[in-house]
Amino acid sequence: QVQLVESGGGLVQAGGSLRLSCAASGRISSVAMAWFRQAPGEEREFVALIIWSSGGTDYADSVKGRFTISRHGAKNTVYLQMNSLKPEDTAVYYCAAGAGSSRRYYYDNWGQGTQVTVSS
């Protein structure tokens, strides 16, 4: 199983942007890669997914129009471009590999997470 390592988190003001990266240690063979997030005291929630072979994407309603998921096949890396950030986007963001669903139970390989904090 490949290892997933996220990077790019940090502290940003509301309205700002961040780009998260998730690098796999080897070739990605999963159907999809996804980003989830978890705020303190909350359930881990779906943010976005990308079908590795086709590049098809899906987003949570809360991030549509603000976040963009993309991939670089040769680098085995998936990105999450986050624009117009809001304080409610504050969470630990996790990269995951799995079957291509918005439900976290369809993902069996997770990164360690990266903290994103948006100040008002």
Side-chain angles (χ1 to χ4, degrees), residues 78-102:
V78 63
Y79 305 98
L80 185 68
Q81 178 67 44
M82 306 186 295
N83 298 329
S84 302
L85 283 161
K86 305 175 182 179
E88 51 263 44
D89 294 318
T90 295
V92 177
Y93 283 70
Y94 296 91
C95 174
S101 167
S102 61

Side-chain angles (χ1 to χ4, degrees), residues 20-77:
L20 305 183
S21 298
C22 172
S25 61
R27 179 179 169 274
I28 293 174
S29 59
S30 300
V31 171
M33 298 293 292
W35 289 95
F36 287 76
R37 67 186 181 186
Q38 188 167 19
E42 302 289 332
E43 294 283 325
R44 192 170 297 187
E45 66 174 4
F46 169 74
V47 175
L49 69 84
I50 187 164
I51 303 301
W52 196 252
S53 59
S54 68
T57 59
D58 191 21
Y59 296 91
D61 288 343
S62 59
V63 307
K64 280 181 181 176
R66 299 189 298 124
F67 291 10
T68 302
I69 189 170
S70 62
R71 74 199 191 302
H72 193 303
K75 293 183 177 180
N76 292 300
T77 299

Side-chain angles (χ1 to χ4, degrees), residues 11-17 83-89 117-120:
L11 173 64
V12 63
Q13 289 188 331
S17 298
N83 298 329
S84 302
L85 283 161
K86 305 175 182 179
E88 51 263 44
D89 294 318
T117 303
V118 184
S119 63
S120 58

Side-chain angles (χ1 to χ4, degrees), residues 4-7 92-95 110-114:
L4 304 177
V5 179
E6 302 98 332
S7 61
V92 177
Y93 283 70
Y94 296 91
C95 174
W110 294 82
Q112 82 289 350
T114 186

